[in-house]
Amino acid sequence: MMRMTAIERMAENTDMSHAILARMTEENPDHEALKKAGKILREGGLVAFPTETVYGLGGDALNPESSKKIYAAKGRPSDNPLIIHIADRESLLPLVQEVPAAAERLMDAYWPGPLTMIFRKSEIVPYETTGGLDTVAVRFPNNRIACEMIREAGGYVAAPSANTSGRPSPTLASHVEEDLGDKIDMILDGGQVEIGLESTIVDFTEETPVILRPGFLNQQMLEEVLAEVRMDPGLESENVHVRPKAPGMRYRHYAPKAKLAIVQGKQENVFARIRQLVDEGLEQGAKIGVICTEESRAEYPKGEVRCIGSRADDRTIARHLFEILRDFDSADVDRIYTESFDTPHMGQAIMNRLIKAAGHEIIDADTE
Ligand code: TXA
Ligand code: MG
């Protein structure tokens, strides 16, 4: 612990091009480091921070120059809007033109939490933050480190996920370090995130609320609160001609360096097909990765096998997905085969990310 602090101090004093690191827990936040983060943000700098979903790359949401810096650091197209993070409900009002009653109900149920809502924006929100749109995405995260930092920064922090554009979202501070360590001012290390997939996005700018991105909160959980909510038709993988409404959902995302394919079908057929694909790859001299669960670990004797979590608790699968994709990048595998995860709670969100990472490469184990 002591040694780490000394190294962090060294990084701060001697290597100005590298981000300052501050490690803390939600139970024991480092108030001094959070003050410093707030100052950096108010002065137009960039700070990465933990949330319950994934790490965010924060800048002052009301400062157009900060938003420009965020796009540059991530290498992200500037027409892909950022989410504004707030640390109390009242902060929402100055950002938006109106808050529909249905949105109020959703906030009552799920804020603070893994929920982003889209409204018509007010004058104070710069177009640099909304990617030129007249609408704004807002989220109140459920993480003490994030909320204290937001308050110290003046209340409004624009933050996309803190990864290089196109890479898996970061679920550990070391992922942020890897992608952005030499491009930003500070990284708040709060350990591994709780959920591991980005927030659910609900758009309130249309007649009926629309889910633009599935997350920890699934359609059924939203329907328990809203009379009606529909899924953006652009998200259905069959609808290849309909563009998703959220600009970020249109890009190829989370792409590992290796070719990734999802194998689906009856359980026994999936096990057998993945074993066969591993054997074929090994015969060709390739390095083959396999993503399995605790339940299926024993089915795969060969290959670089990684256990993603347990089907009995699909939150464990969600939490490790991005980490495993990054691990395979460092392991330099040529191909990855994964089981499919149509689990009840988070299956929709997991498969949304996995299908993108696989570039829609799906193998049906029940045919042939
Ligand atoms: O969990 C999360 O939401 C994380 C943490 C850091 O809060 N943030 C995150 O941000 O995932 P990002 O930028 O990686 O994803 C934001 C998504 C993008 O797909 C973007 O296109 C969409 O939200 N979005 C933002 N504002 C929008 C708007 N006004 N209309 C439609 N889509 C919007
Ligand atoms: Mg992202």
Side-chain angles (χ1 to χ4, degrees):
M1 232 13 225
M2 287 297 285
R3 244 180 97 203
M4 213 39 227
T5 314
I7 292 167
E8 284 157 20
R9 246 188 242 118
M10 251 171 55
E12 184 178 341
N13 294 335
T14 59
D15 179 6
M16 292 310 286
S17 70
H18 201 273
I20 302 165
L21 301 173
R23 189 172 297 166
M24 65 191 87
T25 60
E26 277 192 89
E27 295 70 38
N28 209 349
D30 180 343
H31 301 294
E32 210 170 299
L34 287 161
K35 271 207 171 62
K36 180 164 192 136
K39 183 165 182 279
I40 291 172
L41 289 164
R42 277 183 275 109
E43 289 171 354
L46 303 185
V47 178
F49 62 100
T51 79
E52 76 278 40
T53 56
V54 298
Y55 275 78
L57 172 58
D60 179 353
L62 306 183
N63 177 352
E65 295 310 316
S66 297
S67 293
K68 285 189 200 159
K69 276 195 200 168
I70 291 176
Y71 289 107
K74 274 183 69 91
R76 173 172 177 146
S78 59
D79 63 349
N80 187 3
L82 309 176
I83 295 172
I84 301 186
H85 294 67
I86 56 177
D88 55 73
R89 261 177 79 160
E90 297 69 52
S91 298
L92 172 66
L93 293 177
L95 299 177
V96 303
Q97 303 215 355
E98 77 271 288
V99 180
E104 294 273 5
R105 286 203 301 279
L106 210 55
M107 267 177 248
D108 288 338
Y110 297 124
W111 262 12
L115 168 70
T116 296
M117 285 185 272
I118 298 185
F119 305 98
R120 258 172 256 292
K121 83 173 193 71
S122 71
E123 297 256 297
I124 69 162
V125 181
Y127 282 111
E128 283 79 0
T129 301
T130 67
L133 297 176
D134 288 312
T135 55
V136 61
V138 188
R139 178 158 109 82
F140 177 1
N142 186 17
N143 178 292
R144 280 182 64 192
I145 298 169
C147 288
E148 187 169 330
M149 183 204 74
I150 294 165
R151 281 190 288 269
E152 292 287 352
Y156 297 103
V157 173
S161 47
N163 51 288
T164 299
S165 191
R167 293 213 74 201
S169 295
T171 56
L172 289 163
S174 60
H175 298 161
V176 180
E177 170 90 53
E178 189 175 274
D179 283 10
L180 303 171
D182 56 358
K183 298 192 174 73
I184 64 179
D185 301 295
M186 189 172 191
I187 299 172
L188 305 179
D189 181 350
Q192 182 168 46
V193 300
E194 180 72 29
I195 295 175
L197 299 180
E198 307 88 342
S199 61
T200 302
I201 304 179
V202 185
D203 180 5
F204 282 96
T205 66
E206 295 190 31
E207 199 72 31
T208 309
V210 188
I211 301 169
L212 301 190
R213 180 172 72 184
F216 179 86
L217 301 175
N218 61 26
Q219 186 162 7
Q220 193 192 331
M221 291 159 85
L222 300 173
E223 278 167 351
E224 280 165 18
V225 180
L226 303 171
E228 213 187 343
V229 58
R230 62 184 180 88
M231 195 62 102
D232 178 2
L235 292 182
E236 312 291 340
S237 49
E238 305 84 62
N239 284 346
V240 281
H241 303 298
V242 187
R243 274 155 60 92
K245 187 170 177 189
M249 300 297 278
R250 295 174 197 148
Y251 303 109
R252 178 146 190 245
H253 239 119
Y254 321 119
K257 290 178 198 151
K259 235 171 111 64
L260 168 70
I262 302 166
V263 182
Q264 62 184 30
K266 289 202 197 74
Q267 210 182 28
E268 295 310 315
N269 295 346
V270 169
F271 299 158
R273 179 61 69 88
I274 291 181
R275 276 194 301 264
Q276 178 202 335
L277 289 163
V278 171
D279 282 339
E280 284 171 12
L282 293 176
E283 264 163 44
Q284 296 160 1
K287 200 168 173 188
I288 309 294
V290 173
I291 303 179
C292 69
T293 62
E294 275 166 33
E295 291 84 356
S296 66
R297 179 69 187 83
E299 300 289 335
Y300 308 109
K302 287 184 248 170
E304 293 280 319
V305 183
R306 297 280 194 284
C307 177
I308 191 170
S310 165
R311 284 182 191 271
D313 178 2
D314 64 359
R315 289 172 303 180
T316 59
I317 297 176
R319 191 177 302 140
H320 298 120
L321 174 61
F322 290 148
E323 187 182 351
I324 282 192
L325 293 179
R326 278 180 183 261
D327 276 356
F328 275 131
D329 279 353
S330 350
D332 258 333
V333 296
D334 301 298
R335 259 169 272 161
I336 308 165
Y337 298 105
T338 177
E339 297 177 3
S340 176
F341 307 104
D342 293 307
T343 52
H345 172 194
M346 296 200 69
Q348 204 169 45
I350 295 167
M351 290 313 289
N352 170 271
R353 309 313 193 270
L354 199 56
I355 287 170
K356 278 180 151 191
H360 293 264
E361 186 68 29
I362 297 169
I363 296 168
D364 181 0
D366 294 340
T367 58
E368 284 157 49

